[in-house]
Amino acid sequence: MIVELGHFALVLSLAVALVQSVVPLVGADRRWSGWMAVAEPAAVTQLLLIGFSFAALTWAFVTSDFSVRLVVLNSHTLKPMLYKISGVWGNHEGSLLLWVLILALFGACAAVFGQNLPPTLKARVLAVQGMIGAAFLAFLLFTSNPFLRMGEVPFDGEDLNPLLQDPGLAFHPPFLYLGYVGLSMAFSFAVAALIEGRVDAAWGRWVRPWTLAAWVFLTIGIALGSWWAYYELGWGGFWFWDPVENASFMPWLIAAALLHSAIVVEKREALKSWTILLAILAFGFSLIGTFIVRSGVITSVHAFANDPERGIFILMILAVFMGGALTLFAARASAMEAKGVFGIVSRESGLVLNNVLLTVACFVVFIGTIWPLLAELLWGRKLSVGAPFFNAAFTPFMVVIALVLPLGAVLPWKRAELGRGMRPLWGALALSAALGALVFALQTGRSALGPVGLALGAWLVFGTLLDLWGRTGRGALGGRLARLRRLPRADWGKATAHAGLGVTIFAVAAITAWQVESIRVMKPGETFALGRYDVLLEGVREIEGPNYRSTVADFRVTRDGAEVATLHPEKRVYPVAAMPTTEAAIDYGFTRDLYLVIGDPQEGGGYAVRSYIKPFANWIWGGALLMALGGLLSLSDRRYRIAAGARRMPAAVAAE
């Protein structure tokens, strides 16, 4: 009964979404306040209905209701409770239901917390959100219904993909979807502004918090996925340029560009058309990511490989929303006249360069991701675009961004002098270059990538710290420290995010340049040297888990005779899914990780063993968390909340 009620609630939510799509839009066009007022209760009602539907599906998973087809395909009675719950979104249908739930959540938040938005703009924003919701609810109900029943109820289920039975993967998808779907709000604000023919500083203030929230969630989601791949897949890497990884990375890059572009709209009322275009593209790349993951056109360890008909449905959604938004953009672009003018050397120019680099870098990733699909579709040729292409084509853009970011952050608006802008940064530049040169001199026979990465990371961190210190003015040390504490949270947020980028750049360069790797066959009782450590395989044993069998190796790691760690990598087999997984054993350290993986038994006896020393591995995710923390600090600044710029709006409307 609960399952049928969940299905019925989903059907009702589609009807509500259709009403939300049409009635407020007509009301805004005719200035009928009653029709415009329908948007708010419709958005909240849609959230409640989809929330009930999601709760009903979760109940089916928790109680192991094997009369529901989705539960049979993705659950099992022996599965731990955490993975029964995460099994709700560990599949195409359930994850799509989570997708529309988050979409409804953002729409309801705009309805509840956007009280100071102009009524016509608010009605149009919620109407566009309703259109997106209606499209995906139709996709869910007509092609991917999660509430289908089984004709014959089995005694047990087929279990969830063992790779997804991990805490990291339990939380990774919800954060990613919060980011993907959060960009729909920037899209809705952009389309609503195009319909009204008005983009101003207040619009820039309104769109930034939504974009910032989506970017923060995407950052956390990408970091969780990278960390999961690092410790779970046993490959020893943190980023593989997998198409599904790229699907989340592309909207992250465009969202970062949109955040910086919206600053120019807010402060100088310039780059209006460009900012609107970025808002459209950001959500467009989210839809492209949805297509890549759910169409079955690619094979990945974390893709939903489904039938092509579903991919065609998503392509239709992409064509309608992107085609419609871009057509509207072409028709209205001339009305968005920029008011602010600025010189070649200015903060505006620095932000424009930032935008260009991020956008071109995104399209490089897009071409590398989509080109094999086009080659197979158009010419029947199977091509592979791997890490060498992405590393060579993408890295230069990040290097240039790292070089210009500290300078661009300190330049004044409108017009600046390059020499004057660099004056407070020469010390940071000299110290960063000295650190890079010192490390290059100390290392022998290694790549210059590590020292260069250290210099770039240090330049970002030191430049950011000097920017903060420069905002305290002049005077006694005590007074400057007091002013430093009183700086707006947005300033602290920007500094934290930029420093986090510097930490991540250094860590990626360090782990790439200085990693130590060893692959060998070992028998119990044997020892080998791994860098400065000695690794002893003490023994191999078999254990039984709750829903798997595991081969566990016991390693003892010593350095100069002193024990450093005891590690227990595993090779698991899940009988229900008939699938093996690798569980790496990692001794986490501040400056290095010891990483051991046990492989299959060999014909001549012994086991394949892969071992690594991963320098500064944790700094990669530490830097990502710093970036997310910076976004949260900025988001907590009252000046950047949704209604922050609304006080000036009534006066502006009255003046017109």
Side-chain angles (χ1 to χ4, degrees), residues 41-81:
V44 175
T45 302
Q46 188 184 161
L47 172 63
L48 294 175
L49 288 170
I50 299 175
F52 178 81
S53 182
F54 188 82
L57 185 62
T58 304
W59 175 257
F61 270 84
V62 169
T63 59
S64 295
D65 183 354
F66 295 120
S67 67
V68 179
R69 181 176 179 271
L70 196 65
V71 179
V72 173
L73 295 177
N74 297 277
S75 191
H76 191 272
T77 52
L78 296 179
K79 194 165 64 171
M81 181 56 68

Short mmCIF file of all heavy atoms in Angstrom, two decimals, residues 41-81:
data_model
loop_
_atom_site.label_atom_id
_atom_site.label_comp_id
_atom_site.label_asym_id
_atom_site.label_seq_id
_atom_site.Cartn_x
_atom_site.Cartn_y
_atom_site.Cartn_z
N PRO A 41 2.90 28.12 -3.25
CA PRO A 41 2.34 26.87 -2.71
C PRO A 41 2.55 25.67 -3.64
O PRO A 41 2.69 24.54 -3.16
CB PRO A 41 0.85 27.18 -2.56
CG PRO A 41 0.60 28.35 -3.44
CD PRO A 41 1.86 29.14 -3.45
N ALA A 42 2.62 25.91 -4.95
CA ALA A 42 2.86 24.81 -5.88
C ALA A 42 4.26 24.23 -5.67
O ALA A 42 4.44 23.00 -5.67
CB ALA A 42 2.69 25.28 -7.31
N ALA A 43 5.25 25.11 -5.48
CA ALA A 43 6.62 24.64 -5.28
C ALA A 43 6.74 23.84 -3.99
O ALA A 43 7.40 22.79 -3.95
CB ALA A 43 7.59 25.82 -5.28
N VAL A 44 6.10 24.33 -2.92
CA VAL A 44 6.16 23.63 -1.63
C VAL A 44 5.40 22.30 -1.71
O VAL A 44 5.86 21.27 -1.20
CB VAL A 44 5.60 24.52 -0.51
CG1 VAL A 44 5.54 23.75 0.80
CG2 VAL A 44 6.47 25.77 -0.35
N THR A 45 4.24 22.31 -2.36
CA THR A 45 3.45 21.08 -2.49
C THR A 45 4.21 20.03 -3.30
O THR A 45 4.19 18.83 -2.96
CB THR A 45 2.11 21.39 -3.17
OG1 THR A 45 1.40 22.36 -2.41
CG2 THR A 45 1.26 20.14 -3.30
N GLN A 46 4.88 20.47 -4.36
CA GLN A 46 5.67 19.54 -5.16
C GLN A 46 6.75 18.88 -4.33
O GLN A 46 6.98 17.66 -4.41
CB GLN A 46 6.29 20.28 -6.36
CG GLN A 46 6.96 19.36 -7.36
CD GLN A 46 7.64 20.12 -8.48
OE1 GLN A 46 8.50 19.59 -9.16
NE2 GLN A 46 7.28 21.39 -8.68
N LEU A 47 7.41 19.65 -3.46
CA LEU A 47 8.44 19.09 -2.59
C LEU A 47 7.84 18.06 -1.64
O LEU A 47 8.41 16.97 -1.45
CB LEU A 47 9.11 20.21 -1.79
CG LEU A 47 10.08 19.75 -0.69
CD1 LEU A 47 11.27 18.99 -1.30
CD2 LEU A 47 10.57 20.93 0.14
N LEU A 48 6.69 18.37 -1.04
CA LEU A 48 6.07 17.44 -0.09
C LEU A 48 5.66 16.14 -0.77
O LEU A 48 5.86 15.05 -0.23
CB LEU A 48 4.86 18.10 0.56
CG LEU A 48 5.15 19.31 1.48
CD1 LEU A 48 3.86 19.94 1.96
CD2 LEU A 48 6.02 18.89 2.66
N LEU A 49 5.12 16.23 -1.97
CA LEU A 49 4.68 15.03 -2.68
C LEU A 49 5.87 14.15 -3.08
O LEU A 49 5.85 12.93 -2.88
CB LEU A 49 3.88 15.43 -3.92
CG LEU A 49 2.48 16.00 -3.66
CD1 LEU A 49 1.89 16.58 -4.93
CD2 LEU A 49 1.55 14.92 -3.09
N ILE A 50 6.90 14.77 -3.64
CA ILE A 50 8.06 13.98 -4.04
C ILE A 50 8.79 13.44 -2.82
O ILE A 50 9.32 12.33 -2.83
CB ILE A 50 9.00 14.82 -4.93
CG1 ILE A 50 8.28 15.26 -6.20
CG2 ILE A 50 10.26 14.03 -5.31
CD1 ILE A 50 9.09 16.18 -7.10
N GLY A 51 8.82 14.23 -1.74
CA GLY A 51 9.42 13.76 -0.50
C GLY A 51 8.73 12.53 0.03
O GLY A 51 9.37 11.57 0.48
N PHE A 52 7.38 12.52 -0.03
CA PHE A 52 6.64 11.33 0.40
C PHE A 52 6.94 10.14 -0.51
O PHE A 52 7.11 9.01 -0.04
CB PHE A 52 5.14 11.62 0.40
CG PHE A 52 4.31 10.44 0.79
CD1 PHE A 52 4.14 10.10 2.12
CD2 PHE A 52 3.72 9.63 -0.19
CE1 PHE A 52 3.39 8.99 2.47
CE2 PHE A 52 2.97 8.53 0.16
CZ PHE A 52 2.80 8.20 1.50
N SER A 53 7.03 10.38 -1.80
CA SER A 53 7.35 9.32 -2.75
C SER A 53 8.72 8.72 -2.47
O SER A 53 8.91 7.50 -2.48
CB SER A 53 7.28 9.87 -4.17
OG SER A 53 7.52 8.87 -5.13
N PHE A 54 9.69 9.59 -2.20
CA PHE A 54 11.04 9.12 -1.89
C PHE A 54 11.05 8.32 -0.59
O PHE A 54 11.72 7.29 -0.48
CB PHE A 54 12.00 10.31 -1.80
CG PHE A 54 13.44 9.93 -1.68
CD1 PHE A 54 14.19 9.61 -2.80
CD2 PHE A 54 14.06 9.89 -0.44
CE1 PHE A 54 15.52 9.25 -2.69
CE2 PHE A 54 15.39 9.54 -0.32
CZ PHE A 54 16.12 9.22 -1.46
N ALA A 55 10.30 8.79 0.41
CA ALA A 55 10.21 8.06 1.68
C ALA A 55 9.57 6.69 1.49
O ALA A 55 9.99 5.71 2.11
CB ALA A 55 9.41 8.89 2.69
N ALA A 56 8.58 6.60 0.60
CA ALA A 56 7.94 5.30 0.33
C ALA A 56 8.92 4.32 -0.30
O ALA A 56 8.95 3.13 0.06
CB ALA A 56 6.73 5.51 -0.58
N LEU A 57 9.73 4.80 -1.24
CA LEU A 57 10.72 3.92 -1.86
C LEU A 57 11.78 3.51 -0.84
O LEU A 57 12.22 2.34 -0.83
CB LEU A 57 11.37 4.63 -3.06
CG LEU A 57 12.35 3.79 -3.87
CD1 LEU A 57 11.65 2.59 -4.50
CD2 LEU A 57 13.04 4.63 -4.95
N THR A 58 12.19 4.44 0.00
CA THR A 58 13.16 4.11 1.04
C THR A 58 12.60 3.05 1.98
O THR A 58 13.31 2.12 2.39
CB THR A 58 13.54 5.37 1.84
OG1 THR A 58 14.04 6.38 0.94
CG2 THR A 58 14.61 5.07 2.88
N TRP A 59 11.33 3.17 2.33
CA TRP A 59 10.68 2.17 3.19
C TRP A 59 10.72 0.79 2.53
O TRP A 59 10.96 -0.22 3.20
CB TRP A 59 9.24 2.59 3.46
CG TRP A 59 8.45 1.59 4.24
CD1 TRP A 59 7.51 0.72 3.75
CD2 TRP A 59 8.55 1.32 5.64
NE1 TRP A 59 7.01 -0.06 4.75
CE2 TRP A 59 7.63 0.28 5.94
CE3 TRP A 59 9.30 1.84 6.68
CZ2 TRP A 59 7.45 -0.23 7.21
CZ3 TRP A 59 9.14 1.34 7.96
CH2 TRP A 59 8.22 0.32 8.21
N ALA A 60 10.50 0.73 1.24
CA ALA A 60 10.54 -0.54 0.52
C ALA A 60 11.92 -1.17 0.60
O ALA A 60 12.06 -2.40 0.77
CB ALA A 60 10.11 -0.34 -0.93
N PHE A 61 12.96 -0.35 0.50
CA PHE A 61 14.33 -0.88 0.59
C PHE A 61 14.65 -1.32 2.02
O PHE A 61 15.25 -2.38 2.24
CB PHE A 61 15.33 0.18 0.13
CG PHE A 61 15.63 0.13 -1.34
CD1 PHE A 61 14.80 0.76 -2.25
CD2 PHE A 61 16.73 -0.55 -1.82
CE1 PHE A 61 15.07 0.72 -3.61
CE2 PHE A 61 17.01 -0.60 -3.18
CZ PHE A 61 16.18 0.03 -4.08
N VAL A 62 14.29 -0.51 3.00
CA VAL A 62 14.63 -0.82 4.39
C VAL A 62 13.94 -2.10 4.85
O VAL A 62 14.52 -2.91 5.58
CB VAL A 62 14.24 0.37 5.30
CG1 VAL A 62 14.33 -0.02 6.76
CG2 VAL A 62 15.17 1.56 5.03
N THR A 63 12.70 -2.30 4.41
CA THR A 63 11.95 -3.49 4.83
C THR A 63 12.14 -4.67 3.89
O THR A 63 11.50 -5.72 4.07
CB THR A 63 10.45 -3.15 4.90
OG1 THR A 63 10.00 -2.70 3.62
CG2 THR A 63 10.20 -2.09 5.96
N SER A 64 13.03 -4.52 2.90
CA SER A 64 13.30 -5.57 1.91
C SER A 64 12.00 -6.08 1.27
O SER A 64 11.68 -7.28 1.28
CB SER A 64 14.05 -6.74 2.56
OG SER A 64 15.33 -6.33 2.99
N ASP A 65 11.24 -5.14 0.72
CA ASP A 65 9.99 -5.48 0.04
C ASP A 65 10.32 -5.95 -1.38
O ASP A 65 10.41 -5.15 -2.32
CB ASP A 65 9.07 -4.25 0.00
CG ASP A 65 7.72 -4.55 -0.63
OD1 ASP A 65 7.53 -5.68 -1.13
OD2 ASP A 65 6.85 -3.66 -0.63
N PHE A 66 10.48 -7.27 -1.55
CA PHE A 66 10.91 -7.81 -2.83
C PHE A 66 9.77 -7.97 -3.82
O PHE A 66 9.94 -8.58 -4.88
CB PHE A 66 11.63 -9.15 -2.62
CG PHE A 66 12.91 -9.00 -1.85
CD1 PHE A 66 13.09 -9.66 -0.64
CD2 PHE A 66 13.93 -8.19 -2.32
CE1 PHE A 66 14.27 -9.51 0.08
CE2 PHE A 66 15.10 -8.03 -1.61
CZ PHE A 66 15.28 -8.69 -0.41
N SER A 67 8.61 -7.40 -3.50
CA SER A 67 7.57 -7.29 -4.52
C SER A 67 7.83 -6.09 -5.44
O SER A 67 7.21 -5.96 -6.49
CB SER A 67 6.20 -7.14 -3.87
OG SER A 67 6.10 -5.89 -3.19
N VAL A 68 8.75 -5.20 -5.02
CA VAL A 68 9.14 -4.05 -5.84
C VAL A 68 10.36 -4.44 -6.68
O VAL A 68 11.38 -4.86 -6.13
CB VAL A 68 9.45 -2.82 -4.96
CG1 VAL A 68 9.86 -1.63 -5.82
CG2 VAL A 68 8.24 -2.47 -4.11
N ARG A 69 10.25 -4.30 -7.97
CA ARG A 69 11.31 -4.74 -8.88
C ARG A 69 12.64 -4.07 -8.57
O ARG A 69 13.69 -4.71 -8.60
CB ARG A 69 10.89 -4.44 -10.32
CG ARG A 69 11.89 -4.87 -11.39
CD ARG A 69 11.34 -4.63 -12.78
NE ARG A 69 12.31 -5.02 -13.79
CZ ARG A 69 13.24 -4.20 -14.27
NH1 ARG A 69 13.31 -2.95 -13.82
NH2 ARG A 69 14.09 -4.61 -15.20
N LEU A 70 12.62 -2.77 -8.27
CA LEU A 70 13.86 -2.03 -8.01
C LEU A 70 14.57 -2.57 -6.77
O LEU A 70 15.80 -2.64 -6.74
CB LEU A 70 13.55 -0.54 -7.84
CG LEU A 70 14.75 0.41 -7.94
CD1 LEU A 70 15.34 0.38 -9.34
CD2 LEU A 70 14.34 1.83 -7.58
N VAL A 71 13.82 -2.97 -5.76
CA VAL A 71 14.41 -3.52 -4.55
C VAL A 71 15.06 -4.87 -4.85
O VAL A 71 16.16 -5.18 -4.36
CB VAL A 71 13.35 -3.66 -3.43
CG1 VAL A 71 13.97 -4.26 -2.18
CG2 VAL A 71 12.73 -2.30 -3.11
N VAL A 72 14.41 -5.68 -5.66
CA VAL A 72 14.97 -6.98 -6.03
C VAL A 72 16.30 -6.81 -6.74
O VAL A 72 17.28 -7.52 -6.46
CB VAL A 72 13.98 -7.75 -6.94
CG1 VAL A 72 14.63 -9.04 -7.46
CG2 VAL A 72 12.71 -8.07 -6.19
N LEU A 73 16.38 -5.85 -7.64
CA LEU A 73 17.58 -5.68 -8.46
C LEU A 73 18.73 -5.02 -7.70
O LEU A 73 19.88 -5.13 -8.12
CB LEU A 73 17.25 -4.83 -9.70
CG LEU A 73 16.28 -5.43 -10.70
CD1 LEU A 73 15.99 -4.45 -11.83
CD2 LEU A 73 16.82 -6.74 -11.27
N ASN A 74 18.44 -4.35 -6.57
CA ASN A 74 19.48 -3.55 -5.92
C ASN A 74 19.57 -3.74 -4.41
O ASN A 74 20.16 -2.91 -3.73
CB ASN A 74 19.24 -2.06 -6.21
CG ASN A 74 19.35 -1.72 -7.67
OD1 ASN A 74 20.44 -1.53 -8.20
ND2 ASN A 74 18.21 -1.65 -8.35
N SER A 75 19.03 -4.83 -3.88
CA SER A 75 19.12 -5.04 -2.44
C SER A 75 19.17 -6.54 -2.13
O SER A 75 19.01 -7.38 -3.02
CB SER A 75 17.94 -4.38 -1.73
OG SER A 75 18.16 -4.36 -0.33
N HIS A 76 19.37 -6.83 -0.86
CA HIS A 76 19.50 -8.21 -0.39
C HIS A 76 19.28 -8.19 1.12
O HIS A 76 19.63 -7.22 1.80
CB HIS A 76 20.89 -8.76 -0.74
CG HIS A 76 21.03 -10.24 -0.54
ND1 HIS A 76 21.40 -10.79 0.65
CD2 HIS A 76 20.83 -11.27 -1.39
CE1 HIS A 76 21.45 -12.10 0.53
NE2 HIS A 76 21.10 -12.42 -0.69
N THR A 77 18.73 -9.25 1.64
CA THR A 77 18.41 -9.26 3.08
C THR A 77 19.66 -9.19 3.95
O THR A 77 19.62 -8.68 5.07
CB THR A 77 17.62 -10.52 3.44
OG1 THR A 77 18.32 -11.67 2.95
CG2 THR A 77 16.23 -10.49 2.84
N LEU A 78 20.79 -9.72 3.46
CA LEU A 78 22.02 -9.73 4.27
C LEU A 78 22.78 -8.41 4.20
O LEU A 78 23.77 -8.23 4.90
CB LEU A 78 22.93 -10.87 3.80
CG LEU A 78 22.41 -12.29 3.97
CD1 LEU A 78 23.41 -13.30 3.44
CD2 LEU A 78 22.09 -12.56 5.44
N LYS A 79 22.36 -7.49 3.37
CA LYS A 79 23.09 -6.25 3.19
C LYS A 79 22.96 -5.36 4.42
O LYS A 79 21.87 -5.24 4.98
CB LYS A 79 22.56 -5.51 1.95
CG LYS A 79 23.46 -4.40 1.46
CD LYS A 79 23.09 -3.95 0.06
CE LYS A 79 21.70 -3.35 0.03
NZ LYS A 79 21.44 -2.73 -1.28
N PRO A 80 24.06 -4.73 4.89
CA PRO A 80 23.97 -3.82 6.04
C PRO A 80 22.97 -2.69 5.79
O PRO A 80 22.75 -2.29 4.64
CB PRO A 80 25.40 -3.28 6.17
CG PRO A 80 26.26 -4.35 5.55
CD PRO A 80 25.45 -4.92 4.44
N MET A 81 22.39 -2.15 6.85
CA MET A 81 21.32 -1.17 6.73
C MET A 81 21.75 0.08 5.96
O MET A 81 20.98 0.64 5.16
CB MET A 81 20.82 -0.78 8.13
CG MET A 81 19.66 0.23 8.12
SD MET A 81 18.23 -0.31 7.16
CE MET A 81 17.67 -1.68 8.18
#
